[in-house]
Amino acid sequence: MHVMIFGCGYSGTAIAKAFSAASVRISGTTRSADKADLLRSQGIEAFIFDGEIISDALLEAMRSVTHLVQSIAPREAGDPLINLAGGELGKMMPALQWIGYLSTVGVYGDHKGAWVSEETVCVPVSGRSKERLEAEDAWLALGRELGIPAAVLRLSGIYGPGRNAFINLDRGTARRLIKKDQVFNRIRVEDIGASARYLADRSLGGIYNVTDDLPGPPQDVIVEAARLMGVEPPPEQPFETAELTPMARSFYGENKRVSNAKLKAAGYTFSFPNYPMSLAQLWQSGRWRG
């Protein structure tokens, strides 16, 4: 087995760890030499890929890839890997058996707090979510064309070691924004890795929401983390008057509860099904710092 992760960042590294075994070759791409060195220190064969040029070394490695994970965000012109490969991806990766594409629950758009599933019609609001939806369609179509399973993993808000409410509280950057009836789902990064491995091992394709069981108000997560730390949570701030970046504000323009029933029905069991138990595990294990 040769797993290659295009865009081997926070989630990609978790996927690499989930696949790590003596008999598995794991490769990943990144944009900088420093990050490539970091990947190598974790046992990942690293290649520089800027989304513009596929180097000869990367091209050679692609020939033996059996499992492809694409984590690089699309651009206005579309998915960078599909754009570069054209219709030649099957020839570039003749051993390919499974494709995993990391997307976002942002493709659903705003559903006024209602539950959404993989069957729900997507009405993406932001330009980046529209690009994601187009990239999803392109990868699913490519899977059909090549006759191999392509799985789209729609991820909710990602957190885990080194990226969580404890870190923000510790740095003094945590905010308790209050917007009436607003909820978000979230997902622990280890469950992203484990679910990707689960789908790949069973050659499962299609669309799957990779998200926790407990959509809830974002301020509740801050309060729970502060309680575990034994510190005072930051004061409440009305969302309407808070200073936010346009991207941060756009997240609050979408309100939905995302169901993970399909992934569970496929047999996957979440290690971190809700944020209270997950935060407790991060805090008690000391792994919250990363």
Side-chain angles (χ1 to χ4, degrees):
M1 181 187 277
H2 181 188
V3 180
M4 181 172 279
I5 302 155
F6 275 79
C8 196
Y10 189 62
S11 298
T13 303
I15 291 171
K17 281 182 185 165
F19 274 101
S20 60
S23 58
V24 179
R25 179 183 175 191
I26 301 175
S27 307
T29 77
T30 185
R31 295 174 67 93
S32 74
D34 287 349
K35 287 183 180 171
D37 289 339
L38 182 63
L39 293 180
R40 290 183 190 111
S41 75
Q42 297 175 74
I44 300 166
E45 188 180 353
F47 298 90
I48 304 290
F49 177 64
D50 61 1
E52 305 289 342
I53 297 167
I54 299 176
S55 69
D56 290 343
L58 177 55
L59 202 56
E60 179 57 34
M62 287 167 68
R63 292 193 59 76
S64 61
V65 169
T66 56
H67 295 71
L68 167 67
V69 176
Q70 167 38 340
S71 174
I72 300 171
R75 302 163 182 182
E76 277 187 36
D79 184 273
L81 186 52
I82 287 179
N83 283 351
L84 276 173
E88 302 295 306
L89 196 73
K91 290 179 184 173
M92 290 176 171
M93 296 187 177
L96 193 61
Q97 300 169 20
W98 181 84
I99 296 167
Y101 180 68
L102 302 191
S103 186
T104 166
V105 297
V107 297
Y108 291 112
D110 182 30
H111 290 268
K112 313 292 185 200
W115 282 94
V116 300
S117 74
E118 292 84 354
E119 302 300 313
T120 302
V121 174
C122 292
V123 284
V125 176
S126 69
R128 64 182 181 278
S129 291
K130 289 172 186 170
E131 289 164 8
R132 280 280 185 200
L133 194 59
E134 288 167 7
E136 285 185 9
D137 291 343
W139 281 106
L140 290 168
L142 187 62
R144 288 191 296 271
E145 187 183 309
L146 296 176
I148 59 172
V152 169
L153 286 69
R154 289 180 176 164
L155 311 177
S156 53
I158 303 164
Y159 73 105
R163 186 185 291 190
N164 53 66
F166 301 120
I167 296 279
N168 297 337
L169 285 161
D170 192 49
R171 289 178 180 160
T173 58
R175 302 174 77 178
R176 192 155 48 127
L177 296 178
I178 309 296
K179 186 182 180 193
K180 186 172 165 23
D181 300 327
Q182 179 74 47
V183 294
F184 291 116
N185 283 76
R186 44 202 64 78
I187 186 67
R188 181 80 176 253
V189 72
E190 292 95 331
D191 270 318
I192 297 173
S195 62
R197 171 90 195 247
Y198 185 89
L199 295 170
D201 283 351
R202 288 155 185 80
S203 298
L204 293 172
I207 299 170
Y208 295 89
N209 293 329
V210 182
T211 184
D212 64 0
D213 290 346
L214 191 64
Q219 65 270 22
D220 290 6
V221 180
I222 300 294
V223 170
E224 178 62 10
R227 184 189 71 79
L228 287 162
M229 288 182 93
V231 301
E232 279 296 311
E236 292 187 351
Q237 277 184 286
F239 167 79
E240 289 72 21
T241 56
E243 283 187 24
L244 293 172
T245 64
M247 181 175 276
R249 191 165 288 279
S250 75
F251 283 123
Y252 279 80
E254 300 176 15
N255 192 17
K256 55 191 166 285
R257 290 170 166 82
V258 185
S259 167
N260 59 18
K262 181 179 177 181
L263 187 54
K264 284 183 176 172
Y268 180 72
T269 301
F270 286 82
S271 296
F272 303 98
N274 61 65
Y275 72 84
M277 67 81 66
S278 179
L279 289 176
Q281 188 273 343
L282 276 175
W283 182 251
Q284 288 156 13
S285 66
R287 292 189 62 228
W288 63 277
R289 290 185 187 277

